[in-house]
Amino acid sequence: MSFLKFKKSKAAHNIDYENLPEHIGVIMDGNGRWAKKRGLPRSAGHSAGADALKKIVTECNNMGIKYITVYAFSTENWKRPKEEVDYLMNLLMDYLKNAETTLAGENVVIKAIGIRENLSEELQFQINKTEEFTKNNTGIVMNIALNYGAREEIVRAVKNICKCVNDGDMDIDDINAQIISDNLYTQNQPDPDLIIRTSGEERISNFLLWQLAYSELWFTDKLWPDFRVEDLHKAICDFQARNRRYGGV
Ligand code: FPP
């Protein structure tokens, strides 16, 4: 296999391109602290975070990584001041609109995962439009976790499965781990191999709880808007040095 097609940067030379994570999950934390350090409003941190994200998705796509799931807005983030929530929603809207021309031009498939019903009609419309616009692309699949919470996702899956059992379409003894995976937002996608969280916090915060059973976790003190392609390469190199045993020896 030739790797010449990958636009490798200098810092990427230690990466084993035969052993890339297939799916990376990212908890993009620290936007607010990044802004505070500069005396800027929190919104400036989110805006800088969106810029950082574009570069990371482009690099993952160039490297040949197949899936990236990014935590953009959790089911708990509604507790933030209305002004901040509105700003994030507008940013997401702009990101999706721009993605139709920029990321789609890079062959990225964009999907939103999470509860759509509580989002504004305009945002729901834009999500559908962007998903439709990018669905036949063949590059990286980017899941934007938006109004997403892993516990809600699991509850929703359980309800779907119970309904199948109630309707007589499934026997209770047929329920297994695969059936649960098949009823999550990430159905038909591999589980994340690597989860990255920025900003020095070392917790999962209701992100992909079912899917990360065997994920490698990687934390950095860097705040998300400062996260660069070199940091991504470091995370991947560290991931490749880990010994994944999946419960075996
Ligand atoms: C956590 O930082 C970050 C978020 C809640 C939002 C993440 C959003 C982005 C990176 C930009 C928009 C994303 C897309 C897909 C356009 P925080 O605000 O909790 O930071 P803090 O812990 O320093 O306060």
Side-chain angles (χ1 to χ4, degrees):
M1 182 180 171
S2 162
F3 300 122
L4 291 174
K5 68 181 172 123
F6 297 126
K7 291 183 218 150
K8 277 195 275 177
S9 66
K10 216 174 158 202
H13 67 280
N14 284 333
I15 291 176
D16 171 4
Y17 281 79
E18 297 278 13
N19 183 28
L20 287 172
E22 200 180 1
H23 185 170
I24 300 182
V26 190
I27 304 177
M28 309 178 288
D29 198 9
N31 296 349
R33 277 162 283 170
W34 183 93
K36 194 172 176 200
K37 264 172 63 181
R38 288 163 177 76
L40 296 170
R42 292 177 58 82
S43 54
H46 294 314
S47 173
D51 292 342
L53 177 60
K54 278 194 199 110
K55 295 187 188 112
I56 296 302
V57 175
T58 299
E59 176 63 6
C60 285
N61 192 31
N62 286 340
M63 291 177 80
I65 289 162
K66 302 283 184 239
Y67 298 87
I68 183 167
T69 301
V70 297
Y71 210 0
F73 193 90
S74 77
T75 44
E76 287 72 38
N77 285 153
W78 297 105
K79 293 181 210 148
R80 295 188 177 207
K82 184 177 180 309
E83 197 190 344
E84 183 171 346
V85 170
D86 288 348
Y87 188 87
L88 276 167
M89 292 297 157
N90 284 331
L91 195 61
L92 283 155
M93 180 76 121
D94 287 348
Y95 193 90
L96 290 168
K97 281 185 183 159
N98 291 335
E100 284 190 17
T101 47
T102 54
L103 289 174
E106 297 177 19
N107 210 12
V108 176
V109 179
I110 295 168
K111 293 177 193 267
I113 62 169
I115 315 170
R116 300 215 182 166
E117 292 73 40
N118 324 7
L119 302 174
S120 72
E121 282 193 11
E122 294 80 11
L123 188 52
Q124 290 187 49
F125 176 82
Q126 185 60 47
I127 290 169
N128 290 335
K129 191 162 171 264
T130 306
E131 284 183 337
E132 188 60 28
F133 194 80
T134 63
K135 72 175 184 197
N136 293 323
N137 285 345
T138 54
I140 193 168
V141 175
M142 176 188 191
N143 296 316
I144 303 180
L146 173 50
N147 196 19
Y148 172 87
R151 287 184 171 178
E152 183 280 330
E153 179 182 38
I154 294 169
V155 168
R156 183 176 163 275
V158 170
K159 284 184 180 167
N160 283 346
I161 296 166
C162 287
K163 189 168 182 312
C164 287
V165 172
N166 263 351
D167 293 351
D169 296 331
M170 191 190 294
D171 194 279
I172 203 158
D173 291 327
D174 291 336
I175 299 172
N176 56 29
Q178 187 60 48
I179 299 280
I180 295 182
S181 294
D182 290 346
N183 280 277
L184 300 177
Y185 295 121
T186 50
Q187 57 188 215
N188 301 323
Q189 299 185 5
D191 288 338
D193 304 289
L194 169 65
I195 304 274
I196 295 173
R197 182 171 188 151
T198 56
S199 91
E201 311 289 354
E202 299 192 353
R203 57 179 170 267
I204 293 301
S205 303
N206 205 13
F207 185 55
L208 303 178
L209 292 182
W210 177 270
Q211 298 89 329
L212 59 64
Y214 290 101
S215 305
E216 295 294 331
L217 309 180
W218 191 87
F219 301 105
T220 173
D221 286 341
K222 279 225 175 156
L223 303 175
W224 175 253
D226 290 329
F227 193 83
R228 294 288 172 270
V229 159
E230 293 70 30
D231 302 304
L232 172 74
H233 293 160
K234 172 88 173 68
I236 293 173
C237 282
D238 288 353
F239 162 82
Q240 291 180 333
R242 302 220 187 144
N243 179 8
R244 301 181 82 194
R245 292 190 296 279
Y246 302 94
V249 287

